[in-house]
Amino acid sequence: MKQSEVEKLSVAELQEEIAKAKQSYTDLKMAHAITPLDNPAQLRTVRRTNARLATELTKRELQ
């Protein structure tokens, strides 16, 4: 998810997307521990997306 897409989301949507991203990251980590992923860069992508969402949410809370 790009930063421009993140900025368009509402606070409720941000919280929902954060929950999805955390779950997705956990699932990918578990799958990677059992059998290596075809594309391990997915872990980095999901982790960074989660960080983008959390940063935007924090930014909005501080305003």
Side-chain angles (χ1 to χ4, degrees), residues 10-35:
S10 70
V11 174
E13 290 172 331
L14 277 173
Q15 292 171 340
E16 186 178 315
E17 289 294 324
I18 288 171
K20 286 181 189 175
K22 284 183 180 180
Q23 185 62 43
S24 175
Y25 183 65
T26 303
D27 293 344
L28 281 172
K29 276 179 50 177
M30 291 291 186
H32 187 60
I34 296 169
T35 47

Side-chain angles (χ1 to χ4, degrees), residues 25 28 39-50 52:
Y25 183 65
L28 281 172
N39 185 7
Q42 287 175 319
L43 290 168
R44 179 177 54 208
T45 304
V46 173
R47 188 176 65 240
R48 288 181 179 179
T49 299
N50 192 11
R52 275 189 202 96

